[in-house]
Amino acid sequence: MKEYEKELEGLNMHEMTLVLLKYMVYDPEAMKSHINIFETNLSAEQFAIANKALADFDFRNDLPKVLAKTLVISGKYDGLNPPYEGKECASLIPNASFVEMQYSGHAPMYEEPETYIKIVEDFLE
């Protein structure tokens, strides 16, 4: 979020979410009807602290310990967790599959629900 500081200056959390949608999803206009999934009750200060904690959290060394068959799904237009990060995670998990959804960002289950469900059902079969 640091790179968007100027753009977000003076905005409340809802306004920030609306601005950031263009970096998080494939179709920002369509996702406005699902904006609540990105909303939070955290104050701007709490949100910044949470983001810093997540930014500094590195779980990659533990991924080889995952023994369960795993599915990692990334949306091609996800600016928060880009596909290359999903692909890296999948590569570190011994029995993982990676799928990149082509018309999604951070919320593929909302952006491409039918495709998402099919991917998950195929994985679970």
Side-chain angles (χ1 to χ4, degrees), residues 1-29 31-32 35-36 38-39 47 77 79-80:
M1 284 242 311
K2 188 112 177 117
E3 62 268 26
Y4 309 117
E5 263 181 14
K6 285 278 187 213
E7 195 173 358
L8 302 175
E9 202 170 286
L11 300 179
N12 65 38
M13 293 303 290
H14 178 77
E15 293 165 334
M16 282 185 201
T17 302
L18 289 172
V19 168
L20 292 173
L21 270 182
K22 65 186 170 195
Y23 303 111
M24 299 179 345
V25 301
Y26 174 71
D27 185 349
E29 282 305 310
M31 279 306 294
K32 284 182 180 177
I35 194 76
N36 62 316
F38 298 113
E39 304 261 322
F47 190 71
Y77 298 93
L80 295 178

Side-chain angles (χ1 to χ4, degrees), residues 8 12 14 17-20 22 26 33 35-36 41 52-53 57 62 70 85 92 94 99 109 115 120:
L8 302 175
N12 65 38
H14 178 77
T17 302
L18 289 172
V19 168
L20 292 173
K22 65 186 170 195
Y26 174 71
S33 63
I35 194 76
N36 62 316
N41 290 326
K52 176 151 180 30
F57 180 71
D62 292 324
T70 304
E85 290 179 355
L92 295 171
V99 175
M109 69 292 291
T115 303
V120 172

Side-chain angles (χ1 to χ4, degrees), residues 7 10 23 29 37 43 54-55 80 87 94 96 122:
E7 195 173 358
Y23 303 111
E29 282 305 310
I37 68 166
S43 69
L54 287 172
L80 295 178
K87 192 177 276 188
D122 288 350

